[in-house]
Amino acid sequence: MIKKIALTTGGGDCPGLNAVIRAVVRSAVNFYSWEVLGIQDGFEGLLSMRGIMELTPFRVRGILPRGGTILGTTNRGNPFKYTVKVGDKVEERDLSGRVLENLALLGVDALIMIGGDGTLTIGSELMKMGVNIVGVPKTIDNDLSATEVTFGFNTAVTTATEALDKLHTTAESHHRIMILEVMGRTAGWIALQSGIAGGADIILIPEIPFDLDIVADSIKRREKKGSKFSIIVVAEGAAPKGEHTFFKEYKIGERTVKTLGGIGQYVSDVLSEKLSMESRVTVLGHLQRGGSPTTYDRFLATRFGIKAVDLVAEGKFGMMVCLRAGKIESAPIEEAIGQIKNVDPQGEVVKMAEKLGLNLGREPIV
Ligand code: F6P
């Protein structure tokens, strides 16, 4: 018999998180008459018990169009590998027992976790320890195989497409190569879909290691036909054939953080030298994760939130919500984690791009 549930958001933020929170709260309170607790900053909040708040329909008023998450989130704070400083050393500790104790102290019957692969992996481990978990997948990258689409993706693609529309102006006026580096981790979904929708000439994705001689030839062919500019979309995880992915490193105190990035500048440097053409790079970065979610993402996130509450009511723990053939369904979290969905280099969308005459850094297969 469920009386109280808790809700947490983990991993990188993503447009639509607040829409899920709102849907969960409204359905759990209004329809099932449960109490809902919001846990701040993912597992950090559950470990410290700081900032735990009751979420009521009144409390979630007006959050539907807001980006980010009212609960806060973190990429750190894995309770199974929690990093603590002991003297000069940093050690990893298993604090999962404390999560269980704190959930019991709060009287929580089930925990809805909204997160990506990392958060859902933690959820699956907690499930094995007896916590009633239901998962809601999120990522702008759209790279989770258990669901056809994740909320946040549509907003990110829309932002990237709008950026491409704007870059066309300068590209055409100045006869330049304009390069847009987009997010997506090891998947090329954002690059491919925004590139097609935004009228790019070249799209470079992680799934197709690229050859810049082939790219340069395609730019020369465009020039011969009268187009003196080219627009390139490059996914942050794309890499030249036989070479490694590009990373950037940042120091935060004693910690070193490694993030994908830098491929746009590399492509620009090589092409402007090969072609003696001016080239500029725009790294779209976190603009893709920010701002108000699109109608599509608000609707999908709301559907996911409602289904997550229904799964709790039905006692279907260890499951996550997903979209399959347009319907909201559920899949075991265990099966879903670690299964990354990549672009098929021989698939329909890639072939479509090549039929349109776009160059993907290889000799076209169509
Ligand atoms: O997974 C979402 C994502 O935005 C990726 O596309 C990107 O590589 C990564 O997160 C960036 O993470 P951070 O905000 O920690 O730099």
Side-chain angles (χ1 to χ4, degrees), residues 75 139-141 183-185 236 259-260 286 289:
N75 289 339
T139 168
I140 61 160
D141 305 328
M183 283 184 167
R185 292 202 301 181
E236 61 181 2
T259 59
L260 283 160
H286 291 82
R289 291 225 309 246

Side-chain angles (χ1 to χ4, degrees), residues 252-297:
I252 304 172
E254 286 164 20
R255 213 157 45 93
T256 306
V257 177
K258 219 172 151 187
T259 59
L260 283 160
I263 188 64
Q265 193 57 54
Y266 171 82
V267 169
S268 171
D269 293 346
V270 174
L271 287 180
S272 51
E273 190 173 338
K274 274 188 196 295
L275 296 161
S276 300
M277 261 179 99
E278 272 207 66
S279 168
R280 297 285 190 275
V281 185
T282 302
V283 179
L284 203 49
H286 291 82
L287 289 177
Q288 291 156 100
R289 291 225 309 246
S292 188
T294 57
T295 307
Y296 181 91
D297 280 339

Side-chain angles (χ1 to χ4, degrees), residues 311-339:
L311 288 177
V312 172
E314 290 159 17
K316 292 193 174 157
F317 301 116
M319 305 293 279
M320 58 169 249
V321 302
C322 59
L323 184 79
R324 284 182 177 159
K327 287 198 181 125
I328 303 295
E329 293 184 358
S330 61
I333 297 178
E334 187 94 310
E335 278 175 28
I337 51 182
Q339 304 287 324

Side-chain angles (χ1 to χ4, degrees), residues 168-178 201-202 218-231 275-279:
H168 263 92
T169 324
T170 308
E172 237 176 317
S173 311
H174 286 262
H175 315 305
R176 276 179 185 164
I177 299 170
M178 296 298 274
D201 308 297
I202 292 138
S218 80
I219 293 174
K220 280 186 213 153
R221 277 198 301 277
R222 274 176 58 74
E223 207 172 1
K224 272 191 199 142
K225 287 181 190 160
S227 298
K228 297 191 186 311
F229 70 94
S230 285
I231 302 278
L275 296 161
S276 300
M277 261 179 99
E278 272 207 66
S279 168

